[in-house]
Amino acid sequence: MASKYDGLARIIIQNVGGKENIESLTHCITRLRFKLYDEGKAQTDILNETDGIVKVMQSGGQYQVVIGNHVSDVYAAVCERAHINGDAPTNGAVAKEKQNAFNAFISVVTGVFLPFMGVLAALGILKGVLALLVSFHVLNGAGGTYNILYSLADSLFYFFPVILGYTASKKFGLDEFTGLILGATLVYPSMTSASVADVSNFLGIPVIMPATGDYTTSIIPIIIAVWFASILQKRIKKHIPDAVKSFITPLIVLIVTVPLTFLVIGPIASLVSNGISMFCNFLYGVSPAVLGLFVGLFWQVLVMFGLHWAIVPIGINNIGLMGYDIVMPCMIATTFAQTGAVLAIMLKTRNSHLKGLCIPAAISAFCGVTEPAIYGITLPKKTPFFITCIIAGIGGMVTAILNVKEYSLGAMGIFAWTTFVGEGEVSGMIRAIIVSLAALAVAFAAVYAVYKDTEKEA
C-alpha cells in the first residue's frame, strides 16, 4: 500500500547503503535504529540534509536516523520498500561485526525493551490515573471497575517475564514461543508466592526464590535465561535430525533451561537485580543531590546519542523490586526545560522558518519527546542547549532532595505526572509538577534573556 513516506523511505534506504547493507532495523519513539553491515557505505551528509530527517547519529553500534513522532509510519514504509522484516537479519551471508561490551549492552537493551515501550507508557499513565482517582475518592479501590482497570494497567508489569521472553528471543535468535514458555513458567501460578504448592527443591536441590517471593515483575532473570537458551538451541539444533527437530529442539532447550533458571540463573540474576537497587539506594542515601544532579545534567546528552536506554532498565528493575523508582524521576525537568527554551526562541526570533520549527518542537517536548527540539533548535544554537542541561541538572537535584518517587515508567512529559501518584497520596505528583513548571519557566526566562538571531537568520 502506498504511503506518503514512500519517497523518504527510498532516500533513507539508498543512503544507508541499500537494503543489502541493512542487517536489522528497529525504531524507538523518534528514531530509526539501523544495524548496518558497513556504516562506511552510508551517506550521512545527504541524510542530514534530507527534509523529514532531523539528524543522523552513530552511537552504541547503531546507525540512528532521527525522524520525529511519526517514526513508526516511516519505519513501516522503509520495511515495505526494502522488503525487510524489521529486526530480522536481511542478509545472513555477511558475518556480524564484533561489538565492544558497552555497544553490545546498548544493542540488547534497545532490542529487548523498545518493542513494548509504547504500551508500557500507556499502561503507566492508566496506572497513575487510577491511583489518582482512588486518592480523590472518585473510584472505590476495592470495587469491580477499579479491579478490572487495574488488572489491565498492571498486566504488563506483572507478566514482564512473558513479554521479555518474547522480545529477548527475537533479539538473541531463540524460537519466540520457546522464550514465551520460559517466561510463562516463571510466573506460573504454582511458582508464585501466593501458591501453597511445594517448589522448594528440584531433584533434591534447593530452589532459592528471589527476595520478592517470586519472579513476577522481574526482568533480568528471563533475559539471561533466554540468552542461555539461545546458545543451547544453536548448539544442539545441528545435531538433531530434521524429521524431529521441530519438537525435540524446544523439548531439550526447555527441560534444561527451566530447572537451570530456578537453580542457578534466577538466584544469581536476582542478586544482580538487588545489587543494582541497593547501589541506587546507596547513592541516594549518600547524597540525593549528587544523584539527581548527575541524571538531570547528563540526560539530554545521553538522549542525543541514544544511550539513555542504558538507564531505563535500572528504573524498571527498581519498580519491580521496590514498587517505585528514585532514578528516573530525576530527569523530569529535562523535557520541560527544552520546552521553555524552544518557546523563548519562538517568541524572540524574527526568522519565520525557525519560528515554524519551534511550534511542533515545543509541543513534542511538552509531551516528552525532545529530539526535535534538541537536534532542530537548541543544540545547533549551543547556548540554549547548555542552559537547558544546567536547569535540568538543578531540577534533578531538587527532585531527588524532595524524595519524588515514580511508581510506573514509560510515560514522559506531562503524561508522566500521574506516574508519581502512589501509596495512597498525590504529594509526589504535586512536587513533580512544581519542578516541571519551574524548569519550563526558568529555561524560558534564561534563554529569552540571552538569545539573539544570527545575522543570517535575522
Side-chain angles (χ1 to χ4, degrees), residues 42-344:
Q43 303 295 319
T44 302
D45 290 340
I46 294 176
L47 289 172
N48 276 325
E49 296 297 323
T50 300
D51 288 339
I53 294 176
V54 179
K55 185 76 173 175
V56 172
M57 302 295 299
Q58 293 170 264
S59 178
Q62 296 177 330
Y63 192 84
Q64 304 171 16
V65 181
V66 184
I67 300 296
N69 296 335
H70 54 287
V71 66
S72 59
D73 296 325
V74 179
Y75 169 81
V78 171
C79 287
E80 182 178 353
R81 290 296 160 189
H83 303 292
I84 60 177
N85 183 24
D87 55 4
T90 61
N91 184 359
V94 182
K96 288 186 178 181
E97 179 185 357
K98 288 186 178 180
Q99 293 180 301
N100 61 44
F102 183 73
N103 284 351
F105 172 73
I106 294 297
S107 177
V108 168
V109 168
T110 54
V112 170
F113 288 96
L114 279 180
F116 60 82
M117 287 305 296
V119 176
L120 180 66
L123 297 183
I125 293 170
L126 177 59
K127 206 171 185 181
V129 169
L130 288 175
L132 194 63
L133 293 177
V134 171
S135 297
F136 286 113
H137 305 290
V138 176
L139 269 184
N140 177 8
T145 301
Y146 173 83
N147 286 329
I148 290 173
L149 290 177
Y150 186 82
S151 296
L152 167 62
D154 195 51
S155 58
L156 177 57
F157 301 91
Y158 187 91
F159 291 107
F160 257 146
V162 180
I163 306 300
L164 290 168
Y166 175 76
T167 59
S169 294
K170 295 195 73 172
K171 177 62 184 175
F172 293 122
L174 178 68
D175 173 71
E176 288 94 337
F177 287 100
T178 301
L180 281 170
I181 295 301
L182 275 174
T185 304
L186 290 181
V187 295
Y188 189 75
S190 297
M191 306 305 301
T192 62
S193 56
S195 173
V196 296
D198 181 13
V199 292
S200 60
N201 71 88
F202 181 80
L203 297 178
I205 305 173
V207 171
I208 302 174
M209 298 299 280
T212 56
D214 55 45
Y215 288 102
T216 59
T217 73
S218 65
I219 63 172
I220 296 181
I222 184 61
I223 293 175
I224 298 178
V226 168
W227 169 75
F228 171 83
S230 69
I231 295 175
L232 179 61
Q233 176 181 273
K234 292 170 186 173
R235 294 284 178 86
I236 67 172
K237 211 171 183 180
K238 54 189 175 184
H239 301 295
I240 300 175
D242 291 340
V244 295
K245 185 176 292 185
S246 63
F247 59 91
I248 292 297
T249 301
L251 175 63
I252 296 175
V253 169
L254 288 169
I255 210 165
V256 171
T257 306
V258 167
L260 192 65
T261 299
F262 283 111
L263 295 174
V264 180
I265 295 175
I268 293 176
S270 296
L271 287 176
V272 173
S273 299
N274 291 333
I276 292 172
S277 292
M278 289 174 63
F279 180 69
C280 292
N281 283 317
F282 170 75
L283 290 179
Y284 191 82
V286 170
S287 177
V290 171
L291 175 65
L293 178 65
F294 178 82
V295 174
L297 185 64
F298 292 105
W299 184 262
Q300 294 178 91
V301 178
L302 294 174
V303 169
M304 283 171 49
F305 296 100
L307 302 179
H308 56 301
W309 292 107
I311 298 179
V312 173
I314 296 176
I316 296 175
N317 181 68
N318 286 341
I319 289 177
L321 290 176
M322 302 184 295
Y324 61 86
D325 176 48
I326 55 177
V327 178
M328 293 297 291
C330 298
M331 55 73 59
I332 185 67
T334 60
T335 58
F336 293 93
Q338 281 290 332
T339 303
V342 171
L343 288 175

Side-chain angles (χ1 to χ4, degrees), residues 411-425:
M412 298 178 292
I414 58 171
F415 300 111
W417 286 346
T418 60
T419 65
F420 296 99
V421 179
E423 299 179 348
E425 52 89 26

